[in-house]
Amino acid sequence: RHKEKQKPAERTRLKSGGPTAYVEEMVEDGFFKNPKTIAQVKAELENRGHHIPLTSLSGPLQKLCQRRMLRRQRTNGAGNKGTFSYSKW
């Protein structure tokens, strides 16, 4: 009985969801071959059925950059501010 209680916990840990996992899946699918803005990432997540606010995506994207799964580069945007684009290392 003790082993049966551990199996569901292992399954939920392996099936981790959330924005970071969804973006990791997009990296594996080759979505980031070309640089993408955070708005493009949000739009693709919506196409895949994950409706995540834009403000909730910057943290997971930054984590993936720190883990070197993605690279972040400033691109020339409107005005003085540049926007960031994310691409695969």
Side-chain angles (χ1 to χ4, degrees), residues 10-64:
E10 289 174 10
R11 285 187 196 135
T12 55
R13 195 167 12 109
L14 293 175
K15 288 184 182 178
S16 62
T20 305
Y22 302 147
V23 176
E24 281 179 5
E25 188 177 294
M26 291 166 60
V27 171
E28 291 169 9
D29 291 347
F31 177 76
F32 291 97
K33 274 186 184 176
N34 298 319
K36 306 288 184 189
T37 64
I38 193 167
Q40 292 171 313
V41 174
K42 180 184 186 309
E44 179 61 22
L45 284 168
E46 287 176 355
N47 290 341
R48 295 176 182 222
H50 306 295
H51 299 278
I52 298 167
L54 196 68
T55 54
S56 298
L57 283 177
S58 56
L61 286 169
Q62 185 178 7
K63 283 181 192 173
L64 292 174

